[in-house]
Amino acid sequence: MELLTVTTGCQDWAGDLLCIGFWQDQVELTGEVAALDARLGGAIQELINETEFKGKPNSPSVTRLGSGSPVKKVALLGLGTAAKATLESYRKAAATAAKTAKQNKAHTLGLFLPLTDQPTDALTAALSEGILLALHQDNRFKSDPEDKPPVLEKVELLGIEGGNAGIEQAQKIVSGVILARELVAAPASLVTPTTLAETALSLAQTYGFNVTILEREDCERLGMGAFLGVAKGSDTPPKFIHLTYTPAVTPKKRLAVIGKGVTFDSGGLNLKTQGGIETMKMDMAGAAAVLGCFKALGQIQPPVLVHGIIAATENMINGHALHPGDILTASNGKTIEVNNTDAEGRLTLADALVYAEKLEVDAMVDLATLTGACIVALGDDIAGLWSSQDELAESLLQAAAVTGEKIWRMPLEEKYFEGMKSPIADMKNAGGRSAGSITGALFLQQYVQKTPWAHLDVAGPVWSEKGNAYAGAGATGFGVRLLVQWILSQ
Ligand code: BES
Ligand code: MN
Ligand code: ZN
């Protein structure tokens, strides 16, 4: 599909579907749109009147024009309040335009929006992201996809000069988001630790990353008892994945991104039950975000060195599975009484964090579908953010404001670690019922000594039961754009 900017506006555009954006309560026709309306014999004003269109960001008003018209259909898009406009308003409007084009089986789409003072490349990037993400659909597992692939061949962003760099950047980043979505959406029988390792190897081959896959024995030698404890109950071997992107220039910063890679979380002997277990193929969404981020980095080539680390395993039950009450020793020597085998993510991450810190990076960020408690606290749309350093937290919040992925800072309340104390080992792996996402973060903090570190609990936003503005139901690819934006902002 071709995606380009065109300096001329909507007045002379010809094609299948023309989407025109309006700020809320500002639907007076002026300038180009007024001229177009005159040419169309007042069809736009009629549509506004008939549908009582007010510019609210909900379903667009669409009409078919006479067969003689160079524009076959017009859609009015509501952008919401002008005063609250962000890049996300444009991203969502573009996504709605793309979905409308798909529903109307348009081959060509023209998008004409009222512009604000956003820098051109940031604007075209946001518009392209909205379009490309909304058009992505995963038909891999349908024998006869009812949802046929879109016929859209060409999208023109009207009335914009330049902005090609933004479009290209968005294409690179979206390819990473789609990789993440497809890894998360695929069943656990297909995406195993081995699959994640193979994905890392193939990215390394394509983009020239360094890659190391540590097998169980290698991890044993490194003393990764916490990670390997989780892997004990699975018949599928664990893989510890380490990717490195090294820029051609002297790196401005050295960073590590770490993803929870539990390819299926049955809960272990603290078995999950109905309502909790069905979606647990998504428990590797942090790992998927890291791999998606690397796919984007390989194409963008920013001047920053980035390590990607994934301790991949299943959390399953066989005769070797962890017993509740078992004591594990992590690679930093700390001992853990496993009082709940379902608090496995933090066990895998403990060894991943110890490993990452040895790489002597300026900052490290982990993404993990760590706790149901984070969903209780922040809902499905917002990830929790914990950080040992304000500057790092701030840089992540700023990146999230650009990408429209919502994150909210939560406290590392030390006192709550009391509930994790064990009479027999250095700590337990699970605290009580209250502040479960905070105690999860506090557990991870035990495995970081001095490197600035941030933890994102992404249990909610990586999965959407109904779909959202630019993702269908299921895997959203949350975190990829955020990681890339954060890395680029360094
Ligand atoms: N993978 C789950 C967390 C999760 C729940 C992710 C729902 C996405 C949706 C994690 O391993 C888990 O089971 N956490 C436990 C921790 C508890 C035992 C301390 C939880 O949230 O119940
Ligand atoms: Mn679990
Ligand atoms: Zn889990």
Side-chain angles (χ1 to χ4, degrees):
M1 192 195 73
E2 211 185 337
L3 180 54
L4 66 160
T5 59
V6 179
T7 46
T8 53
C10 62
Q11 212 181 324
D12 301 311
W13 189 78
D16 290 347
L17 177 69
L18 175 62
C19 288
I20 306 174
F22 294 89
W23 298 116
Q24 192 161 328
D25 303 323
Q26 298 183 29
V27 289
E28 306 78 38
L29 303 186
T30 55
E32 284 248 15
V33 184
L36 175 68
D37 187 47
R39 212 187 78 197
L40 297 176
I44 298 174
Q45 189 60 57
E46 246 171 56
L47 181 59
I48 291 173
N49 298 347
E50 264 169 27
T51 60
E52 294 178 6
F53 178 76
K54 300 272 184 318
K56 284 193 190 147
N58 45 23
S59 48
S61 299
V62 189
T63 190
R64 193 173 202 307
L65 299 174
S67 53
S69 168
V71 178
K72 285 197 192 145
K73 286 183 182 173
V74 170
L76 310 178
L77 297 180
L79 303 180
T81 315
K84 290 189 199 152
T86 58
L87 285 174
E88 183 70 355
S89 320
Y90 286 101
R91 206 178 277 114
K92 282 186 175 161
T96 307
K99 285 192 270 190
T100 309
K102 196 178 135 188
Q103 279 156 14
N104 285 278
K105 313 231 178 321
H107 293 258
T108 54
L109 166 67
L111 183 54
F112 187 68
L113 302 176
L115 301 181
T116 48
D117 52 1
Q118 308 281 4
T120 308
D121 284 314
L123 176 72
T124 55
L127 294 174
S128 307
E129 280 176 12
I131 290 163
L132 297 169
L133 289 171
L135 289 178
H136 166 246
Q137 64 185 52
D138 186 357
N139 283 333
R140 288 172 299 165
F141 307 112
K142 300 253 191 198
S143 64
D144 179 20
E146 289 163 43
D147 234 5
K148 294 276 188 300
V151 291
L152 198 56
E153 285 154 19
K154 189 174 186 181
V155 180
E156 290 171 298
L157 309 176
L158 305 174
I160 300 176
E161 183 153 2
N164 283 325
I167 295 176
E168 278 169 31
Q169 180 93 326
Q171 283 164 333
K172 293 169 184 169
I173 295 174
V174 167
S175 74
V177 178
I178 289 175
L179 173 63
R181 283 184 183 176
E182 294 192 342
L183 285 167
V184 174
S189 58
L190 295 180
V191 174
T192 63
T194 304
T195 321
L196 293 182
E198 282 166 359
T199 306
L201 285 164
S202 124
L203 288 172
Q205 178 116 57
T206 309
Y207 300 110
F209 305 137
N210 265 341
V211 62
T212 312
I213 310 291
L214 302 180
E215 304 296 334
R216 193 194 306 265
E217 304 70 48
D218 304 312
C219 297
E220 269 162 16
R221 271 193 293 276
L222 291 169
M224 295 184 175
F227 168 48
L228 292 179
V230 177
K232 274 172 66 178
S234 170
D235 293 346
T236 303
K239 303 279 173 184
F240 189 100
I241 302 164
H242 177 188
L243 272 170
T244 311
Y245 160 71
T246 311
V249 297
T250 313
K252 282 210 238 168
K253 284 273 177 66
R254 301 164 57 90
L255 308 171
V257 291
I258 300 142
K260 172 174 171 182
V262 174
T263 58
F264 189 77
D265 181 11
S266 74
L269 279 164
N270 291 102
L271 188 61
K272 287 190 184 290
T273 48
Q274 193 176 18
I277 202 167
E278 296 85 351
T279 53
M280 279 303 130
K281 65 177 182 184
M282 59 118 124
D283 215 15
M284 36 57 76
V290 167
L291 293 169
C293 167
F294 269 73
K295 185 165 174 73
L297 292 181
Q299 296 167 74
I300 299 170
Q301 305 265 324
V304 181
L305 187 145
V306 188
H307 295 285
I309 291 155
I310 298 163
T313 179
E314 292 186 320
N315 185 25
M316 294 290 281
I317 309 172
N318 62 21
H320 303 281
L322 278 178
H323 314 89
D326 280 356
I327 296 173
L328 304 174
T329 306
S331 44
N332 65 348
K334 293 204 180 182
T335 59
I336 306 156
E337 179 191 2
V338 179
N339 62 324
N340 193 323
T341 60
D342 198 10
E344 85 298 337
R346 59 197 74 184
L347 296 172
T348 66
L349 286 164
D351 284 323
L353 289 167
V354 171
Y355 182 98
E357 188 154 32
K358 288 186 191 143
L359 301 169
E360 298 188 337
V361 289
D362 298 312
M364 53 192 198
V365 176
D366 76 72
L367 279 87
T369 46
L370 202 70
T371 66
C374 196
I375 307 179
V376 174
L378 297 174
D380 285 331
D381 292 346
I382 308 174
L385 162 67
W386 287 259
S387 182
S388 57
Q389 201 213 38
D390 292 345
E391 196 188 321
L392 173 57
E394 203 47 52
S395 66
L396 285 161
L397 287 164
Q398 270 175 28
V402 174
T403 67
E405 290 158 293
K406 297 191 175 100
I407 65 177
W408 190 259
R409 190 161 181 194
M410 302 275 279
L412 283 166
E413 184 60 45
E414 266 170 57
K415 180 164 179 282
Y416 293 172
F417 193 70
E418 279 168 20
M420 308 280 284
K421 293 213 168 116
S422 161
I424 188 166
D426 295 345
M427 67 195 81
K428 298 192 283 195
N429 72 327
R433 268 172 52 81
S434 55
S437 64
I438 300 180
T439 50
L442 289 169
F443 179 94
L444 297 182
Q445 196 180 19
Q446 303 303 307
Y447 297 86
V448 182
Q449 280 184 307
K450 55 178 194 296
T451 307
W453 155 78
H455 159 59
L456 287 162
D457 192 332
V458 294
V462 296
W463 190 262
S464 173
E465 232 24 86
K466 291 196 196 123
N468 60 32
Y470 33 79
T476 61
F478 184 95
V480 174
R481 292 185 300 117
L482 173 62
L483 281 179
V484 174
Q485 177 61 34
W486 175 68
I487 290 165
L488 294 179
S489 72
Q490 297 294 303

